[in-house]
């Protein structure tokens, strides 16, 4: 149906935190030409000033969910004024090795005028999750925590 590409560039340099090993820093160039400074997680000798692959998976999921939510809410007559999320991915040991096993989305949504009730809000999030390409590609359990302030 469609293809999505990026480019990665890495060159060997000493790791500033451990000169006995190499730097994990690299650059990802996305299709729009944006460059993202990346590294491994600091837990794996990476640079904390850079995005790590696990963060990018969590971010991709949250972004995909949000985009479907915005479209579905609009179609249902609840145009969104603002949307924020602080997603968290959990890297854990499995029988296959380390994996992101759980991702918790915590969206907070403000609407232009008409506010959906709690059931409608949950249904829109459930529908967004069901349609999200990234969620459909992952084996991690994904939950949407609407928090205590949800209608």
């Amino acid at each position: 149906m469609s293809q999505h590409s990026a480019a990665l560039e890495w060159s060997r340099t000493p790791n500033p935190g451990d000169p006995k090993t190499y730097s994990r820093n690299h650059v990802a160039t996305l299709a729009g030409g944006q460059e993202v400074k990346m590294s491994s997680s600091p837990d794996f000798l990476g640079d904390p000033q850079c995005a790590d692959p696990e963060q990018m998976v969590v971010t991709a999921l949250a972004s995909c969910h949000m985009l479907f939510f915005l479209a579905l809410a609009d179609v249902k007559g609840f145009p969104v004024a603002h949307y924020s999320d602080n997603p968290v991915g959990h890297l854990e040991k499995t029988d296959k090795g380390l994996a992101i096993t759980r991702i918790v989305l915590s969206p907070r949504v403000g609407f232009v005028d008409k506010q959906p009730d709690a059931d409608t809000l949950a249904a829109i999030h459930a529908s967004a999750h069901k349609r999200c390409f990234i969620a459909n590609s992952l084996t991690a359990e994904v939950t949407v925590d609407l928090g205590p302030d949800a209608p």
Side-chain angles (χ1 to χ4, degrees):
M1 214 171 133
S2 63
Q3 293 183 357
H4 306 270
S5 61
L8 288 177
E9 289 291 329
W10 174 86
S11 294
R12 187 177 199 89
T13 58
N15 187 316
D18 184 353
K20 296 178 199 154
T21 188
Y22 57 90
S23 172
R24 274 68 172 166
N25 292 15
H26 55 285
V27 175
T29 304
L30 307 180
Q34 320 81 304
E35 291 187 347
V36 180
K37 293 179 183 178
M38 297 191 63
S39 190
S40 60
S41 164
D43 295 333
F44 300 98
L45 300 175
D47 183 341
Q49 299 300 311
C50 297
D52 63 56
E54 297 82 8
Q55 289 174 323
M56 298 300 285
V57 168
V58 171
T59 301
L61 171 72
S63 176
C64 185
H65 180 93
M66 179 195 72
L67 292 168
F68 273 106
F69 181 90
L70 296 176
L72 292 165
D74 207 57
V75 165
K76 293 199 175 289
F78 300 104
V80 174
H82 57 87
Y83 184 109
S84 63
D85 196 351
N86 292 297
V88 177
H90 298 268
L91 185 68
E92 299 173 323
K93 291 181 182 178
T94 71
D95 58 349
K96 295 180 183 180
L98 292 176
I100 297 173
T101 58
R102 301 179 288 128
I103 301 171
V104 179
L105 304 179
S106 299
R108 299 299 178 255
V109 184
F111 295 89
V112 171
D113 47 23
K114 193 167 75 168
Q115 173 84 23
D117 62 33
D119 289 342
T120 302
L121 181 64
I124 297 170
H125 276 294
S127 187
H129 176 65
K130 182 178 180 180
R131 288 171 169 78
C132 175
F133 311 143
I134 306 301
N136 291 336
S137 302
L138 300 175
T139 59
E141 173 191 0
V142 177
T143 57
V144 179
D145 177 6
L146 298 180
D149 298 331

